[in-house]
């Protein structure tokens, strides 16, 4: 199965609500699929009920109804990096999974949103201030910077997804593929910063 990295804009106010109540993340990343939210809400309720049963030896009280969560018109914009996200992260940080903030934001930016599985693990939430910092760093990165860090041999050795780095560039321009999506990433993050928006980042 493919792994695609997605980014969604969200206001700081709603991001705070999502961080406090992680099942709400589905209202942002998949707003038209109530089933995902309801399943996450039900799972959270089962976990809480189990805790109270162990603690007190009796069933927990009925779970409160799902909260009313409203997104402003145009609040959520979305993009994805297809399968180029790992190559981009490597070129930004020189690492497979780590790196120094803020350029490691695709893997480590912001805060983990509970333990709600959104594809491959929980999503992460970045505040508007964190997005502005990231946008400022991305603004100073050009193609020369990225090309200098594009190392097909090391990327293959480190198992950078999706494992296309040893292909003949005349037939499969993997650097160009990454740069296309890096351009989209920089534009998207810059626009989010200009709007004063936060981000939710997920790997699906």
């Amino acid at each position: 199965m493919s792994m695609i990295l997605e980014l969604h804009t969200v206001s700081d106010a709603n991001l705070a609500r999502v961080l406090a109540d992680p099942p709400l993340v589905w209202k942002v990343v998949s707003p038209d699929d109530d089933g995902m939210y309801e399943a996450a809400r039900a799972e959270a309720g089962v976990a809480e009920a189990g805790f109270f049963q162990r603690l007190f030896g009796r069933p927990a009280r009925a779970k409160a109804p799902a909260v009313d969560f409203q997104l402003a018109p145009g609040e959520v914009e979305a993009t994805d990096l297809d399968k180029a996200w790992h190559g981009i992260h490597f070129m930004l940080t020189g690492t497979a999974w780590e790196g120094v903030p803020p350029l490691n934001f695709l893997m480590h930016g912001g805060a983990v949103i509970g333990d709600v599985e959104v594809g491959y693990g929980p999503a992460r939430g970045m505040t508007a201030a964190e997005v502005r910092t990231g946008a400022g760093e991305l603004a100073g990165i050009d193609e020369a910077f990225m090309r200098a860090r594009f190392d097909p041999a090391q990327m293959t050795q480190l198992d950078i997804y999706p494992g296309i780095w040893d292909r003949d560039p005349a037939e499969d321009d993997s650097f160009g593929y990454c740069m296309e999506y890096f351009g989209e990433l920089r534009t998207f993050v810059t626009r989010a910063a200009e709007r004063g928006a936060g981000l939710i980042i997920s790997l699906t």
Side-chain angles (χ1 to χ4, degrees):
M1 295 179 64
S2 297
M3 292 189 286
I4 308 297
L5 189 138
E6 298 181 352
L7 303 97
H8 294 76
T9 59
V10 67
S11 68
D12 271 355
N14 275 332
L15 176 59
R17 294 189 67 189
V18 169
L19 288 167
D21 190 6
L24 288 173
V25 69
W26 286 110
K27 294 286 190 179
V28 179
V29 303
S30 189
D32 298 324
D33 188 350
D34 288 337
M36 300 303 295
Y37 166 72
E38 291 167 1
R41 172 67 65 200
E43 185 175 339
V46 167
E48 183 174 321
F51 169 78
F52 280 103
Q53 286 173 340
R54 293 192 300 273
L55 186 62
F56 299 113
R58 65 177 186 275
R61 290 178 295 178
K63 186 71 175 175
V67 297
D68 181 26
F69 181 75
Q70 298 294 327
L71 295 163
E75 177 177 342
V76 177
E77 294 185 354
T79 194
D80 72 73
L81 304 184
D82 196 57
K83 293 179 280 189
W85 55 273
H86 206 188
I88 292 170
H89 170 80
F90 174 83
M91 286 185 278
L92 289 176
T93 68
T95 73
W97 298 104
E98 300 301 326
V100 177
L103 289 181
N104 68 346
F105 74 98
L106 291 178
M107 298 291 98
H108 296 284
V112 176
I113 301 175
D115 58 1
V116 175
E117 296 283 328
V118 182
Y120 295 90
R124 304 186 67 90
M126 296 176 63
T127 65
E130 292 168 331
V131 172
R132 284 194 297 272
T133 298
E137 289 292 319
L138 291 178
I141 293 176
D142 58 13
E143 182 173 341
F145 174 97
M146 298 292 275
R147 187 173 289 280
R149 293 188 170 209
F150 182 70
D151 186 337
Q154 187 178 12
M155 294 166 80
T156 300
Q157 181 180 5
L158 292 175
D159 199 25
I160 301 298
Y161 184 80
I164 60 175
W165 318 112
D166 58 353
R167 297 179 182 176
D168 183 348
E171 298 180 1
D172 193 344
D173 184 7
S174 53
F175 176 75
Y177 168 65
C178 286
M179 286 305 299
E180 176 184 352
Y181 281 99
F182 174 72
E184 294 188 15
L185 171 67
R186 184 168 53 191
T187 298
F188 185 81
V189 173
T190 298
R191 175 172 166 77
E194 291 171 347
R195 294 173 53 208
L199 287 176
I200 289 178
I201 301 173
S202 57
L203 191 60
T204 63

